[in-house]
Amino acid sequence: MHALDVLGDPVRRRILELIADGEAPAGDVGRVIQAEFGISQPAVSQHLRVLRESGFVTVRPDGARRLYAVDPEPLAQADAWFDTFRRFWQPKLDALGTELARGRLAQRKAAVGERGRDHPSATLTPKEH
């Protein structure tokens, strides 16, 4: 199964998000997925199996629990595949980053200006200073 086939499913993407920061028990993952997507526990297990068999997650037993974790290698391979296409969106993302930075700078300048007007000396005329 191609990486994009695996990642194309919103349930599997959400599972990866849930375990991106570290291991999580299958039961915890299942409860979240069932609540968010309204699917059964066997359906969650099927998604976990697809992720496991495609190499996106690892699983290790911990007593009666099964702990799932992200395996970064298939994600790196998917990222490498996207390299061919980054030229289509990277300049737009760079431009967006620039505009966001300009907006934050304008907000900071406006906030400093507002604080200056609140200062008692801001209301004095030059002769009163």
Side-chain angles (χ1 to χ4, degrees):
M1 185 177 282
H2 190 277
L4 294 181
D5 293 328
V6 174
L7 297 174
D9 186 279
V11 173
R12 291 192 284 267
R13 286 194 311 270
R14 181 65 176 127
I15 291 170
L16 289 172
E17 290 171 0
L18 291 171
I19 61 175
D21 290 331
E23 289 182 321
D28 292 355
V29 171
R31 279 187 287 283
V32 171
I33 296 299
Q34 286 176 280
E36 289 182 6
F37 290 91
I39 63 175
S40 67
Q41 185 277 324
V44 175
S45 293
Q46 179 68 18
H47 285 289
L48 287 168
R49 184 176 69 77
V50 169
L51 288 167
R52 192 175 58 249
E53 289 178 356
S54 62
F56 279 85
V57 300
T58 59
V59 63
R60 73 175 180 88
D62 180 39
R65 302 182 319 165
R66 296 174 63 88
L67 299 175
Y68 282 82
V70 171
D71 185 340
E73 180 59 30
L75 292 171
Q77 291 171 1
D79 185 56
W81 184 85
F82 276 112
D83 275 343
T84 305
F85 305 98
R86 280 190 215 296
R87 63 188 165 99
F88 294 114
W89 67 77
Q90 194 61 52
K92 291 175 176 72
L93 291 175
D94 292 344
L96 175 61
T98 299
E99 289 304 314
L100 291 172
R102 284 182 184 156
R104 286 190 298 270
L105 179 61
Q107 286 177 336
R108 284 195 299 273
K109 285 182 177 179
V112 167
E114 288 295 319
R115 284 194 298 262
R117 278 180 268 201
D118 293 341
H119 192 275
S121 67
T123 58
L124 299 176
T125 63
K127 293 179 185 175
E128 296 173 312
H129 276 245

PDB file of all heavy atoms in Angstrom, residues 75-102:
ATOM      1  N   LEU A  75       7.004   8.044   7.096  1.00  0.00           N
ATOM      2  CA  LEU A  75       6.661   9.461   6.962  1.00  0.00           C
ATOM      3  C   LEU A  75       7.763  10.217   6.231  1.00  0.00           C
ATOM      4  O   LEU A  75       7.487  11.101   5.417  1.00  0.00           O
ATOM      5  CB  LEU A  75       6.397  10.081   8.333  1.00  0.00           C
ATOM      6  CG  LEU A  75       5.145   9.578   9.045  1.00  0.00           C
ATOM      7  CD1 LEU A  75       5.100  10.080  10.476  1.00  0.00           C
ATOM      8  CD2 LEU A  75       3.894   9.989   8.294  1.00  0.00           C
ATOM      9  N   ALA A  76       9.000   9.850   6.492  1.00  0.00           N
ATOM     10  CA  ALA A  76      10.123  10.465   5.783  1.00  0.00           C
ATOM     11  C   ALA A  76      10.057  10.116   4.300  1.00  0.00           C
ATOM     12  O   ALA A  76      10.351  10.958   3.444  1.00  0.00           O
ATOM     13  CB  ALA A  76      11.448  10.010   6.392  1.00  0.00           C
ATOM     14  N   GLN A  77       9.676   8.893   3.984  1.00  0.00           N
ATOM     15  CA  GLN A  77       9.538   8.498   2.580  1.00  0.00           C
ATOM     16  C   GLN A  77       8.418   9.284   1.902  1.00  0.00           C
ATOM     17  O   GLN A  77       8.562   9.723   0.758  1.00  0.00           O
ATOM     18  CB  GLN A  77       9.273   7.002   2.471  1.00  0.00           C
ATOM     19  CG  GLN A  77      10.461   6.152   2.861  1.00  0.00           C
ATOM     20  CD  GLN A  77      10.118   4.672   2.955  1.00  0.00           C
ATOM     21  OE1 GLN A  77       9.001   4.255   2.705  1.00  0.00           O
ATOM     22  NE2 GLN A  77      11.103   3.881   3.334  1.00  0.00           N
ATOM     23  N   ALA A  78       7.297   9.477   2.592  1.00  0.00           N
ATOM     24  CA  ALA A  78       6.202  10.268   2.036  1.00  0.00           C
ATOM     25  C   ALA A  78       6.651  11.718   1.837  1.00  0.00           C
ATOM     26  O   ALA A  78       6.352  12.330   0.809  1.00  0.00           O
ATOM     27  CB  ALA A  78       4.983  10.205   2.947  1.00  0.00           C
ATOM     28  N   ASP A  79       7.401  12.241   2.795  1.00  0.00           N
ATOM     29  CA  ASP A  79       7.912  13.599   2.684  1.00  0.00           C
ATOM     30  C   ASP A  79       8.836  13.727   1.478  1.00  0.00           C
ATOM     31  O   ASP A  79       8.774  14.709   0.738  1.00  0.00           O
ATOM     32  CB  ASP A  79       8.640  13.981   3.972  1.00  0.00           C
ATOM     33  CG  ASP A  79       9.102  15.419   3.965  1.00  0.00           C
ATOM     34  OD1 ASP A  79       8.258  16.316   3.780  1.00  0.00           O
ATOM     35  OD2 ASP A  79      10.311  15.647   4.148  1.00  0.00           O
ATOM     36  N   ALA A  80       9.671  12.723   1.249  1.00  0.00           N
ATOM     37  CA  ALA A  80      10.566  12.738   0.092  1.00  0.00           C
ATOM     38  C   ALA A  80       9.766  12.740  -1.212  1.00  0.00           C
ATOM     39  O   ALA A  80      10.135  13.413  -2.177  1.00  0.00           O
ATOM     40  CB  ALA A  80      11.513  11.547   0.144  1.00  0.00           C
ATOM     41  N   TRP A  81       8.675  12.006  -1.248  1.00  0.00           N
ATOM     42  CA  TRP A  81       7.834  11.983  -2.442  1.00  0.00           C
ATOM     43  C   TRP A  81       7.262  13.382  -2.711  1.00  0.00           C
ATOM     44  O   TRP A  81       7.186  13.831  -3.846  1.00  0.00           O
ATOM     45  CB  TRP A  81       6.709  10.963  -2.272  1.00  0.00           C
ATOM     46  CG  TRP A  81       5.866  10.813  -3.495  1.00  0.00           C
ATOM     47  CD1 TRP A  81       6.111  10.003  -4.568  1.00  0.00           C
ATOM     48  CD2 TRP A  81       4.639  11.500  -3.779  1.00  0.00           C
ATOM     49  NE1 TRP A  81       5.108  10.150  -5.496  1.00  0.00           N
ATOM     50  CE2 TRP A  81       4.190  11.054  -5.041  1.00  0.00           C
ATOM     51  CE3 TRP A  81       3.880  12.435  -3.095  1.00  0.00           C
ATOM     52  CZ2 TRP A  81       3.024  11.523  -5.629  1.00  0.00           C
ATOM     53  CZ3 TRP A  81       2.721  12.905  -3.679  1.00  0.00           C
ATOM     54  CH2 TRP A  81       2.298  12.451  -4.935  1.00  0.00           C
ATOM     55  N   PHE A  82       6.887  14.083  -1.636  1.00  0.00           N
ATOM     56  CA  PHE A  82       6.323  15.420  -1.782  1.00  0.00           C
ATOM     57  C   PHE A  82       7.348  16.453  -2.251  1.00  0.00           C
ATOM     58  O   PHE A  82       6.974  17.510  -2.764  1.00  0.00           O
ATOM     59  CB  PHE A  82       5.701  15.902  -0.468  1.00  0.00           C
ATOM     60  CG  PHE A  82       4.299  15.426  -0.261  1.00  0.00           C
ATOM     61  CD1 PHE A  82       4.018  14.512   0.741  1.00  0.00           C
ATOM     62  CD2 PHE A  82       3.267  15.892  -1.051  1.00  0.00           C
ATOM     63  CE1 PHE A  82       2.728  14.063   0.946  1.00  0.00           C
ATOM     64  CE2 PHE A  82       1.966  15.456  -0.856  1.00  0.00           C
ATOM     65  CZ  PHE A  82       1.694  14.538   0.138  1.00  0.00           C
ATOM     66  N   ASP A  83       8.652  16.170  -2.091  1.00  0.00           N
ATOM     67  CA  ASP A  83       9.681  17.124  -2.505  1.00  0.00           C
ATOM     68  C   ASP A  83       9.499  17.586  -3.943  1.00  0.00           C
ATOM     69  O   ASP A  83       9.730  18.753  -4.262  1.00  0.00           O
ATOM     70  CB  ASP A  83      11.080  16.521  -2.338  1.00  0.00           C
ATOM     71  CG  ASP A  83      11.623  16.697  -0.940  1.00  0.00           C
ATOM     72  OD1 ASP A  83      11.084  17.541  -0.190  1.00  0.00           O
ATOM     73  OD2 ASP A  83      12.581  15.992  -0.588  1.00  0.00           O
ATOM     74  N   THR A  84       9.075  16.691  -4.805  1.00  0.00           N
ATOM     75  CA  THR A  84       8.863  17.031  -6.210  1.00  0.00           C
ATOM     76  C   THR A  84       7.841  18.146  -6.369  1.00  0.00           C
ATOM     77  O   THR A  84       7.912  18.930  -7.304  1.00  0.00           O
ATOM     78  CB  THR A  84       8.368  15.777  -6.971  1.00  0.00           C
ATOM     79  OG1 THR A  84       9.302  14.730  -6.766  1.00  0.00           O
ATOM     80  CG2 THR A  84       8.203  16.046  -8.446  1.00  0.00           C
ATOM     81  N   PHE A  85       6.907  18.238  -5.442  1.00  0.00           N
ATOM     82  CA  PHE A  85       5.779  19.151  -5.582  1.00  0.00           C
ATOM     83  C   PHE A  85       5.858  20.380  -4.689  1.00  0.00           C
ATOM     84  O   PHE A  85       5.028  21.276  -4.806  1.00  0.00           O
ATOM     85  CB  PHE A  85       4.478  18.394  -5.306  1.00  0.00           C
ATOM     86  CG  PHE A  85       4.338  17.179  -6.187  1.00  0.00           C
ATOM     87  CD1 PHE A  85       4.674  15.921  -5.707  1.00  0.00           C
ATOM     88  CD2 PHE A  85       3.923  17.314  -7.496  1.00  0.00           C
ATOM     89  CE1 PHE A  85       4.570  14.811  -6.523  1.00  0.00           C
ATOM     90  CE2 PHE A  85       3.817  16.211  -8.327  1.00  0.00           C
ATOM     91  CZ  PHE A  85       4.144  14.955  -7.840  1.00  0.00           C
ATOM     92  N   ARG A  86       6.837  20.446  -3.809  1.00  0.00           N
ATOM     93  CA  ARG A  86       6.948  21.581  -2.889  1.00  0.00           C
ATOM     94  C   ARG A  86       7.043  22.913  -3.619  1.00  0.00           C
ATOM     95  O   ARG A  86       6.570  23.927  -3.131  1.00  0.00           O
ATOM     96  CB  ARG A  86       8.155  21.423  -1.982  1.00  0.00           C
ATOM     97  CG  ARG A  86       7.915  20.508  -0.832  1.00  0.00           C
ATOM     98  CD  ARG A  86       9.050  20.559   0.183  1.00  0.00           C
ATOM     99  NE  ARG A  86       9.282  19.259   0.771  1.00  0.00           N
ATOM    100  CZ  ARG A  86       8.417  18.607   1.523  1.00  0.00           C
ATOM    101  NH1 ARG A  86       7.243  19.118   1.771  1.00  0.00           N
ATOM    102  NH2 ARG A  86       8.701  17.429   2.025  1.00  0.00           N
ATOM    103  N   ARG A  87       7.634  22.930  -4.793  1.00  0.00           N
ATOM    104  CA  ARG A  87       7.807  24.179  -5.533  1.00  0.00           C
ATOM    105  C   ARG A  87       6.469  24.841  -5.852  1.00  0.00           C
ATOM    106  O   ARG A  87       6.395  26.034  -6.086  1.00  0.00           O
ATOM    107  CB  ARG A  87       8.593  23.943  -6.817  1.00  0.00           C
ATOM    108  CG  ARG A  87       7.898  23.033  -7.796  1.00  0.00           C
ATOM    109  CD  ARG A  87       8.838  22.682  -8.967  1.00  0.00           C
ATOM    110  NE  ARG A  87       8.327  21.554  -9.705  1.00  0.00           N
ATOM    111  CZ  ARG A  87       7.635  21.669 -10.842  1.00  0.00           C
ATOM    112  NH1 ARG A  87       7.412  22.866 -11.362  1.00  0.00           N
ATOM    113  NH2 ARG A  87       7.196  20.600 -11.465  1.00  0.00           N
ATOM    114  N   PHE A  88       5.392  24.060  -5.835  1.00  0.00           N
ATOM    115  CA  PHE A  88       4.084  24.624  -6.134  1.00  0.00           C
ATOM    116  C   PHE A  88       3.508  25.411  -4.964  1.00  0.00           C
ATOM    117  O   PHE A  88       2.763  26.362  -5.160  1.00  0.00           O
ATOM    118  CB  PHE A  88       3.092  23.524  -6.535  1.00  0.00           C
ATOM    119  CG  PHE A  88       3.453  22.854  -7.826  1.00  0.00           C
ATOM    120  CD1 PHE A  88       3.823  21.525  -7.842  1.00  0.00           C
ATOM    121  CD2 PHE A  88       3.432  23.556  -9.018  1.00  0.00           C
ATOM    122  CE1 PHE A  88       4.157  20.896  -9.031  1.00  0.00           C
ATOM    123  CE2 PHE A  88       3.762  22.945 -10.208  1.00  0.00           C
ATOM    124  CZ  PHE A  88       4.133  21.610 -10.217  1.00  0.00           C
ATOM    125  N   TRP A  89       3.810  24.995  -3.743  1.00  0.00           N
ATOM    126  CA  TRP A  89       3.203  25.681  -2.603  1.00  0.00           C
ATOM    127  C   TRP A  89       4.208  26.387  -1.700  1.00  0.00           C
ATOM    128  O   TRP A  89       3.837  27.286  -0.965  1.00  0.00           O
ATOM    129  CB  TRP A  89       2.339  24.728  -1.776  1.00  0.00           C
ATOM    130  CG  TRP A  89       3.065  23.640  -1.062  1.00  0.00           C
ATOM    131  CD1 TRP A  89       3.786  23.742   0.082  1.00  0.00           C
ATOM    132  CD2 TRP A  89       3.133  22.274  -1.449  1.00  0.00           C
ATOM    133  NE1 TRP A  89       4.304  22.528   0.437  1.00  0.00           N
ATOM    134  CE2 TRP A  89       3.912  21.600  -0.486  1.00  0.00           C
ATOM    135  CE3 TRP A  89       2.616  21.539  -2.507  1.00  0.00           C
ATOM    136  CZ2 TRP A  89       4.188  20.248  -0.569  1.00  0.00           C
ATOM    137  CZ3 TRP A  89       2.889  20.186  -2.573  1.00  0.00           C
ATOM    138  CH2 TRP A  89       3.659  19.559  -1.621  1.00  0.00           C
ATOM    139  N   GLN A  90       5.490  26.059  -1.761  1.00  0.00           N
ATOM    140  CA  GLN A  90       6.457  26.652  -0.844  1.00  0.00           C
ATOM    141  C   GLN A  90       6.558  28.172  -0.989  1.00  0.00           C
ATOM    142  O   GLN A  90       6.547  28.881   0.023  1.00  0.00           O
ATOM    143  CB  GLN A  90       7.833  26.003  -1.003  1.00  0.00           C
ATOM    144  CG  GLN A  90       8.775  26.333   0.142  1.00  0.00           C
ATOM    145  CD  GLN A  90       8.248  25.856   1.482  1.00  0.00           C
ATOM    146  OE1 GLN A  90       7.894  24.701   1.641  1.00  0.00           O
ATOM    147  NE2 GLN A  90       8.171  26.754   2.455  1.00  0.00           N
ATOM    148  N   PRO A  91       6.608  28.722  -2.218  1.00  0.00           N
ATOM    149  CA  PRO A  91       6.653  30.189  -2.308  1.00  0.00           C
ATOM    150  C   PRO A  91       5.420  30.855  -1.693  1.00  0.00           C
ATOM    151  O   PRO A  91       5.529  31.907  -1.061  1.00  0.00           O
ATOM    152  CB  PRO A  91       6.722  30.456  -3.814  1.00  0.00           C
ATOM    153  CG  PRO A  91       7.300  29.209  -4.396  1.00  0.00           C
ATOM    154  CD  PRO A  91       6.785  28.092  -3.524  1.00  0.00           C
ATOM    155  N   LYS A  92       4.275  30.220  -1.841  1.00  0.00           N
ATOM    156  CA  LYS A  92       3.058  30.782  -1.257  1.00  0.00           C
ATOM    157  C   LYS A  92       3.105  30.715   0.272  1.00  0.00           C
ATOM    158  O   LYS A  92       2.682  31.647   0.960  1.00  0.00           O
ATOM    159  CB  LYS A  92       1.830  30.051  -1.785  1.00  0.00           C
ATOM    160  CG  LYS A  92       1.570  30.326  -3.263  1.00  0.00           C
ATOM    161  CD  LYS A  92       0.418  29.486  -3.768  1.00  0.00           C
ATOM    162  CE  LYS A  92       0.059  29.791  -5.183  1.00  0.00           C
ATOM    163  NZ  LYS A  92       0.969  29.349  -6.191  1.00  0.00           N
ATOM    164  N   LEU A  93       3.627  29.622   0.802  1.00  0.00           N
ATOM    165  CA  LEU A  93       3.760  29.518   2.257  1.00  0.00           C
ATOM    166  C   LEU A  93       4.783  30.515   2.778  1.00  0.00           C
ATOM    167  O   LEU A  93       4.594  31.107   3.844  1.00  0.00           O
ATOM    168  CB  LEU A  93       4.152  28.089   2.655  1.00  0.00           C
ATOM    169  CG  LEU A  93       3.080  27.034   2.455  1.00  0.00           C
ATOM    170  CD1 LEU A  93       3.644  25.644   2.777  1.00  0.00           C
ATOM    171  CD2 LEU A  93       1.862  27.318   3.310  1.00  0.00           C
ATOM    172  N   ASP A  94       5.870  30.714   2.042  1.00  0.00           N
ATOM    173  CA  ASP A  94       6.866  31.712   2.446  1.00  0.00           C
ATOM    174  C   ASP A  94       6.249  33.106   2.465  1.00  0.00           C
ATOM    175  O   ASP A  94       6.477  33.883   3.392  1.00  0.00           O
ATOM    176  CB  ASP A  94       8.073  31.682   1.502  1.00  0.00           C
ATOM    177  CG  ASP A  94       8.884  30.398   1.626  1.00  0.00           C
ATOM    178  OD1 ASP A  94       8.719  29.673   2.632  1.00  0.00           O
ATOM    179  OD2 ASP A  94       9.675  30.116   0.702  1.00  0.00           O
ATOM    180  N   ALA A  95       5.458  33.421   1.422  1.00  0.00           N
ATOM    181  CA  ALA A  95       4.804  34.732   1.365  1.00  0.00           C
ATOM    182  C   ALA A  95       3.810  34.893   2.520  1.00  0.00           C
ATOM    183  O   ALA A  95       3.713  35.967   3.130  1.00  0.00           O
ATOM    184  CB  ALA A  95       4.099  34.908   0.023  1.00  0.00           C
ATOM    185  N   LEU A  96       3.080  33.833   2.828  1.00  0.00           N
ATOM    186  CA  LEU A  96       2.149  33.878   3.952  1.00  0.00           C
ATOM    187  C   LEU A  96       2.905  34.134   5.255  1.00  0.00           C
ATOM    188  O   LEU A  96       2.482  34.953   6.078  1.00  0.00           O
ATOM    189  CB  LEU A  96       1.360  32.569   4.052  1.00  0.00           C
ATOM    190  CG  LEU A  96       0.436  32.424   5.259  1.00  0.00           C
ATOM    191  CD1 LEU A  96      -0.633  33.513   5.255  1.00  0.00           C
ATOM    192  CD2 LEU A  96      -0.195  31.039   5.282  1.00  0.00           C
ATOM    193  N   GLY A  97       4.026  33.462   5.444  1.00  0.00           N
ATOM    194  CA  GLY A  97       4.841  33.682   6.645  1.00  0.00           C
ATOM    195  C   GLY A  97       5.298  35.124   6.761  1.00  0.00           C
ATOM    196  O   GLY A  97       5.285  35.708   7.847  1.00  0.00           O
ATOM    197  N   THR A  98       5.690  35.722   5.624  1.00  0.00           N
ATOM    198  CA  THR A  98       6.106  37.119   5.624  1.00  0.00           C
ATOM    199  C   THR A  98       4.954  38.030   6.024  1.00  0.00           C
ATOM    200  O   THR A  98       5.118  38.945   6.843  1.00  0.00           O
ATOM    201  CB  THR A  98       6.638  37.517   4.226  1.00  0.00           C
ATOM    202  OG1 THR A  98       7.769  36.685   3.920  1.00  0.00           O
ATOM    203  CG2 THR A  98       7.041  38.973   4.175  1.00  0.00           C
ATOM    204  N   GLU A  99       3.779  37.790   5.461  1.00  0.00           N
ATOM    205  CA  GLU A  99       2.615  38.621   5.785  1.00  0.00           C
ATOM    206  C   GLU A  99       2.213  38.472   7.251  1.00  0.00           C
ATOM    207  O   GLU A  99       1.840  39.452   7.903  1.00  0.00           O
ATOM    208  CB  GLU A  99       1.443  38.296   4.865  1.00  0.00           C
ATOM    209  CG  GLU A  99       1.652  38.764   3.442  1.00  0.00           C
ATOM    210  CD  GLU A  99       1.948  40.260   3.350  1.00  0.00           C
ATOM    211  OE1 GLU A  99       1.238  41.059   3.997  1.00  0.00           O
ATOM    212  OE2 GLU A  99       2.904  40.621   2.640  1.00  0.00           O
ATOM    213  N   LEU A 100       2.270  37.253   7.768  1.00  0.00           N
ATOM    214  CA  LEU A 100       1.945  37.046   9.183  1.00  0.00           C
ATOM    215  C   LEU A 100       2.931  37.787  10.079  1.00  0.00           C
ATOM    216  O   LEU A 100       2.544  38.399  11.082  1.00  0.00           O
ATOM    217  CB  LEU A 100       1.920  35.556   9.509  1.00  0.00           C
ATOM    218  CG  LEU A 100       0.781  34.759   8.882  1.00  0.00           C
ATOM    219  CD1 LEU A 100       0.976  33.265   9.127  1.00  0.00           C
ATOM    220  CD2 LEU A 100      -0.564  35.219   9.415  1.00  0.00           C
ATOM    221  N   ALA A 101       4.208  37.750   9.715  1.00  0.00           N
ATOM    222  CA  ALA A 101       5.223  38.464  10.496  1.00  0.00           C
ATOM    223  C   ALA A 101       4.980  39.966  10.446  1.00  0.00           C
ATOM    224  O   ALA A 101       5.097  40.658  11.465  1.00  0.00           O
ATOM    225  CB  ALA A 101       6.618  38.130   9.974  1.00  0.00           C
ATOM    226  N   ARG A 102       4.622  40.488   9.276  1.00  0.00           N
ATOM    227  CA  ARG A 102       4.307  41.922   9.165  1.00  0.00           C
ATOM    228  C   ARG A 102       3.112  42.286  10.049  1.00  0.00           C
ATOM    229  O   ARG A 102       3.101  43.339  10.688  1.00  0.00           O
ATOM    230  CB  ARG A 102       3.999  42.285   7.723  1.00  0.00           C
ATOM    231  CG  ARG A 102       5.202  42.391   6.845  1.00  0.00           C
ATOM    232  CD  ARG A 102       4.824  42.796   5.437  1.00  0.00           C
ATOM    233  NE  ARG A 102       6.006  42.795   4.594  1.00  0.00           N
ATOM    234  CZ  ARG A 102       5.980  42.654   3.292  1.00  0.00           C
ATOM    235  NH1 ARG A 102       4.824  42.512   2.660  1.00  0.00           N
ATOM    236  NH2 ARG A 102       7.091  42.664   2.599  1.00  0.00           N
TER     237      ARG A 102
END
